[in-house]
Amino acid sequence: MTEGVATDAVTVLAGGVGGARLAHGMDRAGADLTVVVNVADDVELHGLAISPDLDTVTYTLAGLADEERGWGVVGETYATLEAMGRLGEDTWFTLGDKDLATHVVRTARLRAGAPLSAVTAELSRALGVRARVVPVTDDRVATLVDTPGGRLGFQEYFVGRQHADDVVGLVYDGIEAARPAPGVVEAVRDARVVVVAPSNPFLSVAPVLGVPGVREALVGSRAHRVAVSPIVGGRAIKGPAAQMLATLGHEVSALGVARLYTGLVDHMVIDERDAHLAEDVAALGLRVLVTDTVMGGADGRERLAREILAATRG
Ligand code: FO1
């Protein structure tokens, strides 16, 4: 724990990689951290409950993530998947042996009646994570992706077809009936700082804020509310965010992202490569922090986290 920030209650609203990296930085900066995680990417394969974003956040905070690939466990082996392939199972979704252990245990606990939030707390604790990792909801929400060729399940779009299709609409199936998991509303309402991670605004952030009660908690929160742009120099740091902004009719820039979050946050963090947009972002009524937002290694994540904590303290 680092001096001076030990009692800084911080909540990160996260999807996969961008959320995981910023959360890791906050953890290293000593924040009292809650990570509220998207579950609309979740999928059942081979009879197993797979929660990619929860696992990316948990593995990253545990120091177990395959940082190069952005998902799964470092140093994986694939003996089980290969054997499953020989038995005729589809193997397009690459599940490593260690990762499979997570899905087997999660599925068993869920079948025994535990809610996803309790299972996630148990798994993250077992892996040595000190932050609270919380699914936004214990209920089922599933992103469906509308493309010119028809509607696709999320992982079919993302992994199966490598997000090559244009996205013309999105449906978050089940979201109206979903309830925030225990602690989510409090974490958003009562933190000193809430950070909307540099995650995909449509695939990661929207299905978090769309769970009834979460957006309202953010709007009514007494926290300093900060969003970090996932678009740098007109491109997504990772994944299809830039493509999606374009096909859904938004400007493909940090300014386009800032417009999406106007009314929800007070501060916008944009990359120094986008410094020329700072004035236009400020004109939306947002305080702007211009810095290096591309979190390479652990030091870069911690530096960005500390800059956000400092900017919200002044
Ligand atoms: N992404 C891929 O591009 N290909 C894969 O085979 C793949 C497998 C996989 C297994 C477990 C897991 O937790 C995530 C996995 N991902 C894979 C990533 C994941 O599907 C997406 O990155 C997220 O859903 C988007 O946030």
Side-chain angles (χ1 to χ4, degrees):
M1 197 85 46
T2 318
E3 75 182 79
V5 291
T7 57
D8 234 354
V10 175
T11 296
V12 175
L13 307 183
V17 179
R21 291 184 177 168
L22 187 63
H24 189 210
M26 286 291 178
D27 192 50
R28 285 177 50 109
D32 174 11
L33 179 65
T34 303
V35 195
V36 174
V37 184
N38 174 42
V39 293
D41 294 8
D42 290 13
V43 64
E44 187 175 313
L45 290 169
H46 318 294
L48 298 174
I50 299 166
S51 293
D53 286 355
L54 281 173
D55 291 344
T56 299
V57 169
T58 302
Y59 294 153
T60 301
L61 289 172
L64 296 172
D66 183 329
E67 299 278 354
E68 220 160 281
R69 221 169 31 173
W71 44 271
V73 178
V74 71
E76 266 293 12
T77 51
Y78 297 93
T80 311
L81 195 71
E82 280 162 28
M84 286 163 69
R86 285 195 290 276
L87 296 173
E89 286 283 287
D90 274 336
T91 56
W92 59 276
F93 200 79
T94 316
L95 294 165
D97 295 324
K98 296 188 186 79
D99 193 31
L100 272 162
T102 304
H103 312 314
V104 168
V105 172
R106 176 166 40 230
T107 305
R109 299 281 198 276
L110 290 171
R111 293 227 170 112
L116 182 61
S117 53
V119 179
T120 303
E122 193 186 330
L123 292 174
S124 59
R125 221 175 298 124
L127 294 178
V129 173
R130 113 184 113 166
R132 289 170 293 283
V133 180
V134 190
V136 65
T137 180
D138 283 328
D139 299 320
R140 182 193 155 276
V141 178
T143 298
L144 304 175
V145 183
D146 284 331
T147 73
R151 183 166 285 183
L152 302 171
F154 178 78
Q155 296 297 350
E156 188 187 358
Y157 156 78
F158 198 94
V159 176
R161 298 171 63 86
Q162 292 290 297
H163 46 78
D165 302 83
D166 280 347
V167 177
V168 295
L170 290 156
V171 173
Y172 309 108
D173 191 41
I175 204 160
E176 295 86 2
R179 292 150 301 169
V184 166
V185 165
E186 293 78 359
V188 173
R189 200 183 52 200
D190 301 335
R192 189 184 75 77
V193 181
V194 177
V195 188
V196 178
S199 296
N200 187 306
F202 309 105
L203 297 180
S204 300
V205 179
V208 167
L209 295 177
V211 171
V214 177
R215 182 186 304 272
E216 294 77 2
L218 183 60
V219 169
S221 176
R222 55 182 173 193
H224 294 272
R225 301 164 305 174
V226 183
V228 183
S229 174
I231 301 289
V232 172
R235 304 159 73 116
I237 294 169
K238 196 172 186 301
Q243 236 169 292
M244 292 182 68
L245 278 161
T247 58
L248 294 170
H250 303 278
E251 183 176 309
V252 186
S253 71
L255 177 60
V257 175
R259 287 195 184 116
L260 292 175
Y261 293 145
T262 303
L264 288 173
V265 299
D266 321 292
H267 301 251
M268 191 76 206
V269 184
I270 67 174
D271 194 80
E272 49 206 13
R273 272 155 278 192
D274 295 319
H276 59 284
L277 299 172
E279 224 173 276
D280 288 344
V281 174
L284 297 171
L286 298 165
R287 288 174 64 179
V288 187
L289 171 63
V290 181
T291 185
D292 177 2
T293 62
V294 183
M295 298 168 280
D299 289 347
R301 299 169 193 180
E302 182 176 340
R303 179 198 42 75
L304 179 60
R306 287 186 184 282
E307 285 189 52
I308 291 171
L309 295 176
T312 54
R313 219 177 267 122

